[in-house]
Amino acid sequence: MPYTVTPTALEDVLILEPRVFGDDRGFFYESFNARDFNEATGLSCTFVQDNHSRSVQGVLRGLHYQILHPQGKLVRVVAGEVFDVVVDVRRNFPDFGKWVGIHLSAENKHQLWIPEGFAHGFVVLSESAEFLYKTTDYWYPEHERSILWNDPAIGIDWQYKGTPALSKKDAAAVLLRDAVVFDDAGL
């Protein structure tokens, strides 16, 4: 199996560790194979968009999600290190408002599967980081939502000392209690 799959404390959020082949020349690994991903996770996903961002130390991006066009995301880091955070925003689920975080880095090569119905964000711990993610739906800015990164009701330990650098959009994000979230009405 090309991946080792480890469940997290949030149902359906998975850590994937690829098999890496290395020697004194360097390394090789298959970062994505649809058949192997589906077999390892039990999912049947079609990815339609790849995104690549570069950020400097202290940049915090998130917590983002899309309503009406929810996205599943497969994320990884190819340069540097981030602390990656996922929050369950499915109102009628037992883990609503709970979070899980993991370190993703170029060194550990771990990937994180984030299903639809979860908010996602990360903070850059290294001097800079390059972050890649595949999505199961396209980006629709009119449907994007953001939850405030430091919402005390969620209580995320970002594992970053200092004040993170935020975009204007992320600085103006709402508290979870005021957010439009996924519920039984189809959102």
Side-chain angles (χ1 to χ4, degrees):
M1 183 65 60
Y3 298 107
T4 300
V5 178
T6 306
T8 68
L10 293 180
E11 185 178 353
D12 301 324
V13 177
L14 305 171
I15 301 168
L16 288 83
E17 298 176 49
R19 267 183 49 203
V20 179
F21 303 93
D23 58 26
D24 59 348
R25 300 170 300 151
F27 69 86
F28 170 86
Y29 72 100
E30 203 169 68
S31 61
F32 181 75
N33 175 304
R35 179 189 61 233
D36 293 340
F37 174 83
N38 293 346
E39 184 180 315
T41 62
L43 302 168
S44 180
C45 294
T46 300
F47 292 100
V48 299
Q49 183 173 317
D50 282 1
N51 300 312
H52 185 151
S53 70
R54 181 180 184 281
S55 305
V56 297
Q57 187 175 53
V59 167
L60 191 150
R61 297 182 184 269
L63 297 158
H64 303 149
Y65 60 103
Q66 278 188 179
I67 293 294
L68 300 182
H69 288 275
Q71 296 175 307
K73 297 177 183 176
L74 181 63
V75 303
R76 66 190 176 108
V77 170
V78 295
E81 180 181 10
V82 306
F83 186 66
D84 200 81
V85 171
V86 181
V87 178
D88 191 333
V89 291
R90 303 171 299 172
R91 185 177 311 280
N92 297 317
F93 280 71
D95 288 333
F96 178 72
K98 295 182 181 171
W99 67 277
V100 68
I102 71 161
H103 289 266
L104 297 176
S105 69
E107 186 177 320
N108 72 23
K109 298 174 184 50
H110 292 178
Q111 299 177 25
L112 188 63
W113 165 246
I114 305 156
E116 298 172 353
F118 292 81
H120 171 254
F122 65 89
V123 64
V124 178
L125 302 177
S126 53
E127 187 174 318
S128 66
E130 293 194 34
F131 192 88
L132 303 178
Y133 52 110
K134 305 176 95 45
T135 65
T136 59
D137 202 347
Y138 300 100
W139 179 59
Y140 291 91
E142 67 273 22
H143 298 298
E144 186 174 51
R145 302 292 185 269
S146 297
I147 295 172
L148 194 62
W149 67 280
N150 61 351
D151 183 336
I154 301 171
I156 298 169
D157 173 5
W158 285 95
Q159 300 189 11
Y160 177 74
K161 306 296 183 223
T163 303
L166 304 171
S167 69
K168 288 180 184 176
K169 174 183 74 175
D170 291 342
V174 300
L175 298 172
L176 179 60
R177 70 171 183 240
D178 301 322
V180 175
V181 296
F182 298 88
D183 61 22
D184 289 339
L187 296 177

mmCIF file with all atom_site columns, all heavy atoms in Angstrom, residues 148-172:
data_model
loop_
_atom_site.group_PDB
_atom_site.id
_atom_site.type_symbol
_atom_site.label_atom_id
_atom_site.label_alt_id
_atom_site.label_comp_id
_atom_site.label_asym_id
_atom_site.label_entity_id
_atom_site.label_seq_id
_atom_site.pdbx_PDB_ins_code
_atom_site.Cartn_x
_atom_site.Cartn_y
_atom_site.Cartn_z
_atom_site.occupancy
_atom_site.B_iso_or_equiv
_atom_site.pdbx_formal_charge
_atom_site.auth_seq_id
_atom_site.auth_comp_id
_atom_site.auth_asym_id
_atom_site.auth_atom_id
_atom_site.pdbx_PDB_model_num
ATOM 1   N N   . LEU A 1 148 ? -13.107 33.045 12.767 1.00 0.00 ? 148 LEU A N   1
ATOM 2   C CA  . LEU A 1 148 ? -11.986 33.723 13.413 1.00 0.00 ? 148 LEU A CA  1
ATOM 3   C C   . LEU A 1 148 ? -10.997 32.721 14.004 1.00 0.00 ? 148 LEU A C   1
ATOM 4   O O   . LEU A 1 148 ? -11.393 31.815 14.741 1.00 0.00 ? 148 LEU A O   1
ATOM 5   C CB  . LEU A 1 148 ? -12.512 34.672 14.495 1.00 0.00 ? 148 LEU A CB  1
ATOM 6   C CG  . LEU A 1 148 ? -11.522 35.687 15.040 1.00 0.00 ? 148 LEU A CG  1
ATOM 7   C CD1 . LEU A 1 148 ? -11.042 36.624 13.928 1.00 0.00 ? 148 LEU A CD1 1
ATOM 8   C CD2 . LEU A 1 148 ? -12.166 36.490 16.144 1.00 0.00 ? 148 LEU A CD2 1
ATOM 9   N N   . TRP A 1 149 ? -9.744  32.907 13.695 1.00 0.00 ? 149 TRP A N   1
ATOM 10  C CA  . TRP A 1 149 ? -8.683  31.965 14.052 1.00 0.00 ? 149 TRP A CA  1
ATOM 11  C C   . TRP A 1 149 ? -8.549  31.775 15.561 1.00 0.00 ? 149 TRP A C   1
ATOM 12  O O   . TRP A 1 149 ? -8.159  30.710 16.032 1.00 0.00 ? 149 TRP A O   1
ATOM 13  C CB  . TRP A 1 149 ? -7.350  32.422 13.466 1.00 0.00 ? 149 TRP A CB  1
ATOM 14  C CG  . TRP A 1 149 ? -6.836  33.700 14.089 1.00 0.00 ? 149 TRP A CG  1
ATOM 15  C CD1 . TRP A 1 149 ? -7.227  34.971 13.789 1.00 0.00 ? 149 TRP A CD1 1
ATOM 16  C CD2 . TRP A 1 149 ? -5.880  33.810 15.132 1.00 0.00 ? 149 TRP A CD2 1
ATOM 17  N NE1 . TRP A 1 149 ? -6.571  35.877 14.581 1.00 0.00 ? 149 TRP A NE1 1
ATOM 18  C CE2 . TRP A 1 149 ? -5.727  35.196 15.411 1.00 0.00 ? 149 TRP A CE2 1
ATOM 19  C CE3 . TRP A 1 149 ? -5.132  32.890 15.851 1.00 0.00 ? 149 TRP A CE3 1
ATOM 20  C CZ2 . TRP A 1 149 ? -4.856  35.655 16.383 1.00 0.00 ? 149 TRP A CZ2 1
ATOM 21  C CZ3 . TRP A 1 149 ? -4.261  33.352 16.819 1.00 0.00 ? 149 TRP A CZ3 1
ATOM 22  C CH2 . TRP A 1 149 ? -4.131  34.731 17.071 1.00 0.00 ? 149 TRP A CH2 1
ATOM 23  N N   . ASN A 1 150 ? -8.868  32.802 16.332 1.00 0.00 ? 150 ASN A N   1
ATOM 24  C CA  . ASN A 1 150 ? -8.681  32.724 17.786 1.00 0.00 ? 150 ASN A CA  1
ATOM 25  C C   . ASN A 1 150 ? -10.004 32.727 18.544 1.00 0.00 ? 150 ASN A C   1
ATOM 26  O O   . ASN A 1 150 ? -10.071 33.190 19.687 1.00 0.00 ? 150 ASN A O   1
ATOM 27  C CB  . ASN A 1 150 ? -7.769  33.853 18.275 1.00 0.00 ? 150 ASN A CB  1
ATOM 28  C CG  . ASN A 1 150 ? -8.343  35.239 17.999 1.00 0.00 ? 150 ASN A CG  1
ATOM 29  O OD1 . ASN A 1 150 ? -9.351  35.380 17.300 1.00 0.00 ? 150 ASN A OD1 1
ATOM 30  N ND2 . ASN A 1 150 ? -7.701  36.250 18.535 1.00 0.00 ? 150 ASN A ND2 1
ATOM 31  N N   . ASP A 1 151 ? -11.042 32.177 17.940 1.00 0.00 ? 151 ASP A N   1
ATOM 32  C CA  . ASP A 1 151 ? -12.350 32.082 18.588 1.00 0.00 ? 151 ASP A CA  1
ATOM 33  C C   . ASP A 1 151 ? -12.178 31.323 19.905 1.00 0.00 ? 151 ASP A C   1
ATOM 34  O O   . ASP A 1 151 ? -11.783 30.162 19.910 1.00 0.00 ? 151 ASP A O   1
ATOM 35  C CB  . ASP A 1 151 ? -13.323 31.340 17.666 1.00 0.00 ? 151 ASP A CB  1
ATOM 36  C CG  . ASP A 1 151 ? -14.732 31.252 18.220 1.00 0.00 ? 151 ASP A CG  1
ATOM 37  O OD1 . ASP A 1 151 ? -14.918 31.331 19.460 1.00 0.00 ? 151 ASP A OD1 1
ATOM 38  O OD2 . ASP A 1 151 ? -15.668 31.072 17.422 1.00 0.00 ? 151 ASP A OD2 1
ATOM 39  N N   . PRO A 1 152 ? -12.468 31.958 21.046 1.00 0.00 ? 152 PRO A N   1
ATOM 40  C CA  . PRO A 1 152 ? -12.266 31.286 22.336 1.00 0.00 ? 152 PRO A CA  1
ATOM 41  C C   . PRO A 1 152 ? -13.165 30.068 22.532 1.00 0.00 ? 152 PRO A C   1
ATOM 42  O O   . PRO A 1 152 ? -12.815 29.163 23.286 1.00 0.00 ? 152 PRO A O   1
ATOM 43  C CB  . PRO A 1 152 ? -12.568 32.371 23.374 1.00 0.00 ? 152 PRO A CB  1
ATOM 44  C CG  . PRO A 1 152 ? -13.301 33.440 22.650 1.00 0.00 ? 152 PRO A CG  1
ATOM 45  C CD  . PRO A 1 152 ? -12.938 33.343 21.203 1.00 0.00 ? 152 PRO A CD  1
ATOM 46  N N   . ALA A 1 153 ? -14.290 30.012 21.839 1.00 0.00 ? 153 ALA A N   1
ATOM 47  C CA  . ALA A 1 153 ? -15.175 28.852 21.967 1.00 0.00 ? 153 ALA A CA  1
ATOM 48  C C   . ALA A 1 153 ? -14.548 27.605 21.347 1.00 0.00 ? 153 ALA A C   1
ATOM 49  O O   . ALA A 1 153 ? -14.873 26.485 21.734 1.00 0.00 ? 153 ALA A O   1
ATOM 50  C CB  . ALA A 1 153 ? -16.521 29.138 21.311 1.00 0.00 ? 153 ALA A CB  1
ATOM 51  N N   . ILE A 1 154 ? -13.643 27.800 20.386 1.00 0.00 ? 154 ILE A N   1
ATOM 52  C CA  . ILE A 1 154 ? -12.950 26.666 19.764 1.00 0.00 ? 154 ILE A CA  1
ATOM 53  C C   . ILE A 1 154 ? -11.662 26.371 20.531 1.00 0.00 ? 154 ILE A C   1
ATOM 54  O O   . ILE A 1 154 ? -11.343 25.221 20.803 1.00 0.00 ? 154 ILE A O   1
ATOM 55  C CB  . ILE A 1 154 ? -12.660 26.943 18.274 1.00 0.00 ? 154 ILE A CB  1
ATOM 56  C CG1 . ILE A 1 154 ? -13.975 27.199 17.524 1.00 0.00 ? 154 ILE A CG1 1
ATOM 57  C CG2 . ILE A 1 154 ? -11.903 25.770 17.651 1.00 0.00 ? 154 ILE A CG2 1
ATOM 58  C CD1 . ILE A 1 154 ? -13.794 27.685 16.102 1.00 0.00 ? 154 ILE A CD1 1
ATOM 59  N N   . GLY A 1 155 ? -10.897 27.409 20.867 1.00 0.00 ? 155 GLY A N   1
ATOM 60  C CA  . GLY A 1 155 ? -9.706  27.259 21.700 1.00 0.00 ? 155 GLY A CA  1
ATOM 61  C C   . GLY A 1 155 ? -8.522  26.570 21.040 1.00 0.00 ? 155 GLY A C   1
ATOM 62  O O   . GLY A 1 155 ? -7.862  25.741 21.646 1.00 0.00 ? 155 GLY A O   1
ATOM 63  N N   . ILE A 1 156 ? -8.218  26.946 19.825 1.00 0.00 ? 156 ILE A N   1
ATOM 64  C CA  . ILE A 1 156 ? -7.106  26.320 19.098 1.00 0.00 ? 156 ILE A CA  1
ATOM 65  C C   . ILE A 1 156 ? -5.767  26.751 19.677 1.00 0.00 ? 156 ILE A C   1
ATOM 66  O O   . ILE A 1 156 ? -5.522  27.931 19.889 1.00 0.00 ? 156 ILE A O   1
ATOM 67  C CB  . ILE A 1 156 ? -7.161  26.679 17.599 1.00 0.00 ? 156 ILE A CB  1
ATOM 68  C CG1 . ILE A 1 156 ? -8.455  26.154 16.984 1.00 0.00 ? 156 ILE A CG1 1
ATOM 69  C CG2 . ILE A 1 156 ? -5.939  26.131 16.862 1.00 0.00 ? 156 ILE A CG2 1
ATOM 70  C CD1 . ILE A 1 156 ? -8.737  26.665 15.587 1.00 0.00 ? 156 ILE A CD1 1
ATOM 71  N N   . ASP A 1 157 ? -4.888  25.783 19.925 1.00 0.00 ? 157 ASP A N   1
ATOM 72  C CA  . ASP A 1 157 ? -3.488  26.051 20.271 1.00 0.00 ? 157 ASP A CA  1
ATOM 73  C C   . ASP A 1 157 ? -2.705  26.001 18.970 1.00 0.00 ? 157 ASP A C   1
ATOM 74  O O   . ASP A 1 157 ? -2.385  24.927 18.467 1.00 0.00 ? 157 ASP A O   1
ATOM 75  C CB  . ASP A 1 157 ? -2.961  25.005 21.253 1.00 0.00 ? 157 ASP A CB  1
ATOM 76  C CG  . ASP A 1 157 ? -1.465  25.133 21.506 1.00 0.00 ? 157 ASP A CG  1
ATOM 77  O OD1 . ASP A 1 157 ? -0.836  26.096 20.995 1.00 0.00 ? 157 ASP A OD1 1
ATOM 78  O OD2 . ASP A 1 157 ? -0.910  24.250 22.176 1.00 0.00 ? 157 ASP A OD2 1
ATOM 79  N N   . TRP A 1 158 ? -2.410  27.144 18.409 1.00 0.00 ? 158 TRP A N   1
ATOM 80  C CA  . TRP A 1 158 ? -1.766  27.226 17.102 1.00 0.00 ? 158 TRP A CA  1
ATOM 81  C C   . TRP A 1 158 ? -0.283  26.857 17.129 1.00 0.00 ? 158 TRP A C   1
ATOM 82  O O   . TRP A 1 158 ? 0.362   26.804 16.092 1.00 0.00 ? 158 TRP A O   1
ATOM 83  C CB  . TRP A 1 158 ? -1.953  28.616 16.507 1.00 0.00 ? 158 TRP A CB  1
ATOM 84  C CG  . TRP A 1 158 ? -3.340  28.827 15.991 1.00 0.00 ? 158 TRP A CG  1
ATOM 85  C CD1 . TRP A 1 158 ? -4.380  29.409 16.646 1.00 0.00 ? 158 TRP A CD1 1
ATOM 86  C CD2 . TRP A 1 158 ? -3.851  28.418 14.726 1.00 0.00 ? 158 TRP A CD2 1
ATOM 87  N NE1 . TRP A 1 158 ? -5.503  29.396 15.856 1.00 0.00 ? 158 TRP A NE1 1
ATOM 88  C CE2 . TRP A 1 158 ? -5.213  28.800 14.668 1.00 0.00 ? 158 TRP A CE2 1
ATOM 89  C CE3 . TRP A 1 158 ? -3.299  27.777 13.627 1.00 0.00 ? 158 TRP A CE3 1
ATOM 90  C CZ2 . TRP A 1 158 ? -6.016  28.559 13.547 1.00 0.00 ? 158 TRP A CZ2 1
ATOM 91  C CZ3 . TRP A 1 158 ? -4.095  27.534 12.516 1.00 0.00 ? 158 TRP A CZ3 1
ATOM 92  C CH2 . TRP A 1 158 ? -5.434  27.923 12.492 1.00 0.00 ? 158 TRP A CH2 1
ATOM 93  N N   . GLN A 1 159 ? 0.279   26.671 18.288 1.00 0.00 ? 159 GLN A N   1
ATOM 94  C CA  . GLN A 1 159 ? 1.689   26.295 18.428 1.00 0.00 ? 159 GLN A CA  1
ATOM 95  C C   . GLN A 1 159 ? 2.620   27.298 17.747 1.00 0.00 ? 159 GLN A C   1
ATOM 96  O O   . GLN A 1 159 ? 3.650   26.936 17.190 1.00 0.00 ? 159 GLN A O   1
ATOM 97  C CB  . GLN A 1 159 ? 1.920   24.876 17.909 1.00 0.00 ? 159 GLN A CB  1
ATOM 98  C CG  . GLN A 1 159 ? 1.084   23.872 18.673 1.00 0.00 ? 159 GLN A CG  1
ATOM 99  C CD  . GLN A 1 159 ? 1.425   22.444 18.371 1.00 0.00 ? 159 GLN A CD  1
ATOM 100 O OE1 . GLN A 1 159 ? 2.423   22.125 17.740 1.00 0.00 ? 159 GLN A OE1 1
ATOM 101 N NE2 . GLN A 1 159 ? 0.590   21.549 18.850 1.00 0.00 ? 159 GLN A NE2 1
ATOM 102 N N   . TYR A 1 160 ? 2.212   28.549 17.808 1.00 0.00 ? 160 TYR A N   1
ATOM 103 C CA  . TYR A 1 160 ? 3.026   29.629 17.275 1.00 0.00 ? 160 TYR A CA  1
ATOM 104 C C   . TYR A 1 160 ? 3.113   30.715 18.334 1.00 0.00 ? 160 TYR A C   1
ATOM 105 O O   . TYR A 1 160 ? 2.089   31.166 18.855 1.00 0.00 ? 160 TYR A O   1
ATOM 106 C CB  . TYR A 1 160 ? 2.407   30.203 15.992 1.00 0.00 ? 160 TYR A CB  1
ATOM 107 C CG  . TYR A 1 160 ? 3.178   31.370 15.438 1.00 0.00 ? 160 TYR A CG  1
ATOM 108 C CD1 . TYR A 1 160 ? 4.397   31.178 14.804 1.00 0.00 ? 160 TYR A CD1 1
ATOM 109 C CD2 . TYR A 1 160 ? 2.697   32.672 15.573 1.00 0.00 ? 160 TYR A CD2 1
ATOM 110 C CE1 . TYR A 1 160 ? 5.122   32.252 14.314 1.00 0.00 ? 160 TYR A CE1 1
ATOM 111 C CE2 . TYR A 1 160 ? 3.408   33.748 15.080 1.00 0.00 ? 160 TYR A CE2 1
ATOM 112 C CZ  . TYR A 1 160 ? 4.629   33.531 14.452 1.00 0.00 ? 160 TYR A CZ  1
ATOM 113 O OH  . TYR A 1 160 ? 5.350   34.595 13.975 1.00 0.00 ? 160 TYR A OH  1
ATOM 114 N N   . LYS A 1 161 ? 4.318   31.103 18.663 1.00 0.00 ? 161 LYS A N   1
ATOM 115 C CA  . LYS A 1 161 ? 4.534   32.172 19.640 1.00 0.00 ? 161 LYS A CA  1
ATOM 116 C C   . LYS A 1 161 ? 4.589   33.498 18.897 1.00 0.00 ? 161 LYS A C   1
ATOM 117 O O   . LYS A 1 161 ? 5.334   33.659 17.953 1.00 0.00 ? 161 LYS A O   1
ATOM 118 C CB  . LYS A 1 161 ? 5.851   31.955 20.401 1.00 0.00 ? 161 LYS A CB  1
ATOM 119 C CG  . LYS A 1 161 ? 5.967   30.589 21.057 1.00 0.00 ? 161 LYS A CG  1
ATOM 120 C CD  . LYS A 1 161 ? 4.939   30.382 22.131 1.00 0.00 ? 161 LYS A CD  1
ATOM 121 C CE  . LYS A 1 161 ? 5.136   29.055 22.808 1.00 0.00 ? 161 LYS A CE  1
ATOM 122 N NZ  . LYS A 1 161 ? 3.935   28.314 23.050 1.00 0.00 ? 161 LYS A NZ  1
ATOM 123 N N   . GLY A 1 162 ? 3.777   34.419 19.287 1.00 0.00 ? 162 GLY A N   1
ATOM 124 C CA  . GLY A 1 162 ? 3.757   35.711 18.625 1.00 0.00 ? 162 GLY A CA  1
ATOM 125 C C   . GLY A 1 162 ? 2.396   35.970 18.018 1.00 0.00 ? 162 GLY A C   1
ATOM 126 O O   . GLY A 1 162 ? 1.482   35.153 18.091 1.00 0.00 ? 162 GLY A O   1
ATOM 127 N N   . THR A 1 163 ? 2.277   37.126 17.393 1.00 0.00 ? 163 THR A N   1
ATOM 128 C CA  . THR A 1 163 ? 1.035   37.509 16.747 1.00 0.00 ? 163 THR A CA  1
ATOM 129 C C   . THR A 1 163 ? 1.106   37.132 15.282 1.00 0.00 ? 163 THR A C   1
ATOM 130 O O   . THR A 1 163 ? 1.996   37.593 14.565 1.00 0.00 ? 163 THR A O   1
ATOM 131 C CB  . THR A 1 163 ? 0.805   39.031 16.881 1.00 0.00 ? 163 THR A CB  1
ATOM 132 O OG1 . THR A 1 163 ? 0.821   39.367 18.275 1.00 0.00 ? 163 THR A OG1 1
ATOM 133 C CG2 . THR A 1 163 ? -0.508  39.443 16.265 1.00 0.00 ? 163 THR A CG2 1
ATOM 134 N N   . PRO A 1 164 ? 0.175   36.296 14.806 1.00 0.00 ? 164 PRO A N   1
ATOM 135 C CA  . PRO A 1 164 ? 0.244   35.884 13.404 1.00 0.00 ? 164 PRO A CA  1
ATOM 136 C C   . PRO A 1 164 ? -0.137  37.018 12.457 1.00 0.00 ? 164 PRO A C   1
ATOM 137 O O   . PRO A 1 164 ? -0.877  37.930 12.825 1.00 0.00 ? 164 PRO A O   1
ATOM 138 C CB  . PRO A 1 164 ? -0.761  34.730 13.320 1.00 0.00 ? 164 PRO A CB  1
ATOM 139 C CG  . PRO A 1 164 ? -1.696  34.954 14.440 1.00 0.00 ? 164 PRO A CG  1
ATOM 140 C CD  . PRO A 1 164 ? -0.917  35.640 15.523 1.00 0.00 ? 164 PRO A CD  1
ATOM 141 N N   . ALA A 1 165 ? 0.372   36.936 11.235 1.00 0.00 ? 165 ALA A N   1
ATOM 142 C CA  . ALA A 1 165 ? 0.023   37.883 10.174 1.00 0.00 ? 165 ALA A CA  1
ATOM 143 C C   . ALA A 1 165 ? -1.206  37.348 9.451  1.00 0.00 ? 165 ALA A C   1
ATOM 144 O O   . ALA A 1 165 ? -1.227  36.206 9.000  1.00 0.00 ? 165 ALA A O   1
ATOM 145 C CB  . ALA A 1 165 ? 1.184   38.036 9.200  1.00 0.00 ? 165 ALA A CB  1
ATOM 146 N N   . LEU A 1 166 ? -2.250  38.190 9.376  1.00 0.00 ? 166 LEU A N   1
ATOM 147 C CA  . LEU A 1 166 ? -3.526  37.788 8.787  1.00 0.00 ? 166 LEU A CA  1
ATOM 148 C C   . LEU A 1 166 ? -3.870  38.655 7.587  1.00 0.00 ? 166 LEU A C   1
ATOM 149 O O   . LEU A 1 166 ? -3.506  39.827 7.542  1.00 0.00 ? 166 LEU A O   1
ATOM 150 C CB  . LEU A 1 166 ? -4.657  37.954 9.808  1.00 0.00 ? 166 LEU A CB  1
ATOM 151 C CG  . LEU A 1 166 ? -4.536  37.237 11.138 1.00 0.00 ? 166 LEU A CG  1
ATOM 152 C CD1 . LEU A 1 166 ? -5.639  37.704 12.082 1.00 0.00 ? 166 LEU A CD1 1
ATOM 153 C CD2 . LEU A 1 166 ? -4.606  35.741 10.949 1.00 0.00 ? 166 LEU A CD2 1
ATOM 154 N N   . SER A 1 167 ? -4.635  38.089 6.652  1.00 0.00 ? 167 SER A N   1
ATOM 155 C CA  . SER A 1 167 ? -5.219  38.898 5.587  1.00 0.00 ? 167 SER A CA  1
ATOM 156 C C   . SER A 1 167 ? -6.355  39.722 6.187  1.00 0.00 ? 167 SER A C   1
ATOM 157 O O   . SER A 1 167 ? -6.856  39.417 7.276  1.00 0.00 ? 167 SER A O   1
ATOM 158 C CB  . SER A 1 167 ? -5.767  37.993 4.480  1.00 0.00 ? 167 SER A CB  1
ATOM 159 O OG  . SER A 1 167 ? -6.900  37.288 4.953  1.00 0.00 ? 167 SER A OG  1
ATOM 160 N N   . LYS A 1 168 ? -6.792  40.754 5.478  1.00 0.00 ? 168 LYS A N   1
ATOM 161 C CA  . LYS A 1 168 ? -7.935  41.551 5.951  1.00 0.00 ? 168 LYS A CA  1
ATOM 162 C C   . LYS A 1 168 ? -9.165  40.665 6.104  1.00 0.00 ? 168 LYS A C   1
ATOM 163 O O   . LYS A 1 168 ? -9.932  40.804 7.050  1.00 0.00 ? 168 LYS A O   1
ATOM 164 C CB  . LYS A 1 168 ? -8.214  42.699 4.983  1.00 0.00 ? 168 LYS A CB  1
ATOM 165 C CG  . LYS A 1 168 ? -7.191  43.797 5.025  1.00 0.00 ? 168 LYS A CG  1
ATOM 166 C CD  . LYS A 1 168 ? -7.521  44.905 4.050  1.00 0.00 ? 168 LYS A CD  1
ATOM 167 C CE  . LYS A 1 168 ? -6.403  45.929 4.058  1.00 0.00 ? 168 LYS A CE  1
ATOM 168 N NZ  . LYS A 1 168 ? -6.624  46.977 3.069  1.00 0.00 ? 168 LYS A NZ  1
ATOM 169 N N   . LYS A 1 169 ? -9.352  39.748 5.150  1.00 0.00 ? 169 LYS A N   1
ATOM 170 C CA  . LYS A 1 169 ? -10.508 38.846 5.198  1.00 0.00 ? 169 LYS A CA  1
ATOM 171 C C   . LYS A 1 169 ? -10.471 37.978 6.447  1.00 0.00 ? 169 LYS A C   1
ATOM 172 O O   . LYS A 1 169 ? -11.482 37.824 7.135  1.00 0.00 ? 169 LYS A O   1
ATOM 173 C CB  . LYS A 1 169 ? -10.521 37.970 3.938  1.00 0.00 ? 169 LYS A CB  1
ATOM 174 C CG  . LYS A 1 169 ? -11.586 36.888 3.949  1.00 0.00 ? 169 LYS A CG  1
ATOM 175 C CD  . LYS A 1 169 ? -11.502 36.011 2.715  1.00 0.00 ? 169 LYS A CD  1
ATOM 176 C CE  . LYS A 1 169 ? -10.305 35.092 2.837  1.00 0.00 ? 169 LYS A CE  1
ATOM 177 N NZ  . LYS A 1 169 ? -10.197 34.129 1.763  1.00 0.00 ? 169 LYS A NZ  1
ATOM 178 N N   . ASP A 1 170 ? -9.306  37.426 6.781  1.00 0.00 ? 170 ASP A N   1
ATOM 179 C CA  . ASP A 1 170 ? -9.210  36.555 7.947  1.00 0.00 ? 170 ASP A CA  1
ATOM 180 C C   . ASP A 1 170 ? -9.314  37.339 9.252  1.00 0.00 ? 170 ASP A C   1
ATOM 181 O O   . ASP A 1 170 ? -9.864  36.845 10.228 1.00 0.00 ? 170 ASP A O   1
ATOM 182 C CB  . ASP A 1 170 ? -7.924  35.733 7.902  1.00 0.00 ? 170 ASP A CB  1
ATOM 183 C CG  . ASP A 1 170 ? -7.946  34.691 6.787  1.00 0.00 ? 170 ASP A CG  1
ATOM 184 O OD1 . ASP A 1 170 ? -9.048  34.376 6.283  1.00 0.00 ? 170 ASP A OD1 1
ATOM 185 O OD2 . ASP A 1 170 ? -6.867  34.200 6.417  1.00 0.00 ? 170 ASP A OD2 1
ATOM 186 N N   . ALA A 1 171 ? -8.816  38.553 9.269  1.00 0.00 ? 171 ALA A N   1
ATOM 187 C CA  . ALA A 1 171 ? -8.933  39.390 10.470 1.00 0.00 ? 171 ALA A CA  1
ATOM 188 C C   . ALA A 1 171 ? -10.390 39.769 10.732 1.00 0.00 ? 171 ALA A C   1
ATOM 189 O O   . ALA A 1 171 ? -10.779 40.000 11.877 1.00 0.00 ? 171 ALA A O   1
ATOM 190 C CB  . ALA A 1 171 ? -8.076  40.645 10.332 1.00 0.00 ? 171 ALA A CB  1
ATOM 191 N N   . ALA A 1 172 ? -11.210 39.813 9.674  1.00 0.00 ? 172 ALA A N   1
ATOM 192 C CA  . ALA A 1 172 ? -12.626 40.183 9.804  1.00 0.00 ? 172 ALA A CA  1
ATOM 193 C C   . ALA A 1 172 ? -13.540 38.960 9.906  1.00 0.00 ? 172 ALA A C   1
ATOM 194 O O   . ALA A 1 172 ? -14.763 39.095 9.852  1.00 0.00 ? 172 ALA A O   1
ATOM 195 C CB  . ALA A 1 172 ? -13.039 41.040 8.612  1.00 0.00 ? 172 ALA A CB  1
#
